Amino acid sequence: MPDASLEAFRSELVEWLEANCPASLRPGATSTKEDRDSWQQVYIERGYTMPTWPREYGGGGLSKDEARVLSHEMGRFANWVPVASFFGTSMLGPVLLEFGNEEQKKEHLPKIVSCEIQWCQGYSEPGAGSDLASLQTRAVRDGDKYIINGSKIWTTGANNADWIFCLTRTDPDAAKHDGISFILFDLRQPGVTISPIQLISGASEFCQVFFQDVKAEARNLVGTLNGGWTIAKRLLQHERAMLSGGTGGGGERPQAKKGPVPAPTSALAEAARAHLGEKQGQLADYPLRDRIAQNEMDALCFGLTLKRSGEQAKAGQGPGPATSMFKLYASELNKRRSEILMSVRGAAALGWSGDEFTPLDIMETRGWLRSKGNSIEGGTSEVQLNVIAKRVLGLPD
């Protein structure tokens, strides 16, 4: 039997969508930037970029069931859903809700919801990659501020970020995991130098960031002094869930309609059909056809497992060590898919630049090269295997 209060919410929501969603954003229409911008502003004012966050922090204040209704109705009404910065919504926001004090929540969470502040993550260092707790970036208390010196590397999006959530060593004499603090500070200040790193794919999404006598307000220490490792681990669980597709930042992904889960649309099969042709109604290359079918089945099973796990997490305490399993599998699945796609495209997979290759050829070649980083970013696959062994399977050190 339908929940009366939930159906009342749905009716109110549909009425609001009818009144506010621009016609150019309805399914089948062609949207304009002006309409997307105005729709995003209306969406933000309702707190719907983070629908389940409390209203006092800029969120929508919806229950999980109401958020699912929002996701479903948005899928029916609009061909474009505004989203906020994933570093803020999927990583920093959840740990601020869990570990931040009231002042920090009221200052930072609304700016994440409204996309006013873009965040990046200051974890990895040149001498502390997979061994994250070996970090050496120092923060020393000076009155009402911390003075920060050191360097972070592989900092995604630092060149476009306004603020950073950063792990710093605040007690060099303490045990390795005990002298670390989690501090927030402004990246756009004197003493910060940001250098993009050129990748094999030709992109520069990663940066090295240098801090020389950079200042952080002491009130932006999250949690307790020297207690940052606990927050760091929690945030990594959120990051792995996000990288594996296990969270949507506050709601489900939009769905076009109710009913059974449809058969997956196979972009791989379409690419193969264009390059290899068909024989008796099937892809002409039998070995490749088998690889594509296996990859599609794996992706479907993985998606269903993520959905089941997400429902369990919503009913419990959020993401746990099992996110390492999902991050590991998502990395390998995407790398296999990219390898198959390159096999399908034949000589077109050599496309890097020049008029002899289409923009799609070039994009997919660079995407294949980019996929090599999947098993390194967000904690290497070796780190994930260690977490699975110790935290999931309970194996001894």
Side-chain angles (χ1 to χ4, degrees), residues 49-189:
T49 49
M50 295 309 296
T52 59
W53 285 12
R55 287 186 186 277
E56 60 266 36
Y57 307 138
L62 303 185
S63 67
K64 291 166 185 170
D65 287 338
E66 289 171 336
R68 278 191 281 271
V69 171
L70 171 66
S71 177
H72 174 74
E73 295 300 336
M74 278 296 295
R76 289 200 315 120
F77 265 84
N79 58 27
W80 181 76
V81 180
V83 294
S85 164
F86 65 86
F87 278 105
T89 58
S90 297
M91 297 166 68
L92 177 61
V95 299
L96 277 182
L97 284 168
E98 185 174 355
F99 297 99
N101 60 38
E102 192 63 16
E103 180 185 4
Q104 291 165 345
K105 292 176 184 176
K106 288 186 173 177
E107 178 178 355
H108 298 294
L109 293 177
K111 294 175 183 175
I112 292 174
V113 174
S114 67
C115 313
E116 180 180 342
I117 298 294
Q118 299 298 314
W119 289 86
C120 64
Q121 178 190 42
Y123 270 32
S124 296
E125 295 190 4
S130 297
D131 187 12
L132 183 59
S134 293
L135 63 91
Q136 295 300 314
T137 293
R138 292 283 305 278
V140 177
R141 183 73 182 257
D142 182 12
D144 61 353
K145 293 182 173 54
Y146 285 97
I147 307 301
I148 298 170
N149 285 279
S151 177
K152 298 290 178 179
I153 198 168
W154 311 120
T155 310
T156 306
N159 50 342
N160 295 314
D162 304 297
W163 279 59
I164 186 169
F165 47 91
C166 192
L167 292 181
T168 62
R169 188 157 296 285
T170 42
D171 185 351
D173 298 322
K176 188 175 177 179
H177 296 87
D178 295 338
I180 295 172
S181 295
F182 188 98
I183 300 178
L184 318 176
F185 57 91
D186 191 345
L187 270 184
R188 300 182 183 278
Q189 62 170 297

Side-chain angles (χ1 to χ4, degrees), residues 198-217:
Q198 192 78 9
L199 304 181
I200 191 174
S201 63
S204 298
E205 62 191 276
F206 297 145
C207 301
Q208 183 166 7
V209 187
F210 301 90
F211 308 119
Q212 182 174 1
D213 295 331
V214 169
K215 297 179 176 60
E217 299 288 342

Side-chain angles (χ1 to χ4, degrees), residues 39-49 70 74 81-82:
W39 178 227
Q40 175 159 315
Q41 188 55 42
V42 170
Y43 209 69
I44 286 171
E45 288 171 1
R46 297 277 288 198
Y48 282 171
T49 49
L70 171 66
M74 278 296 295
V81 180

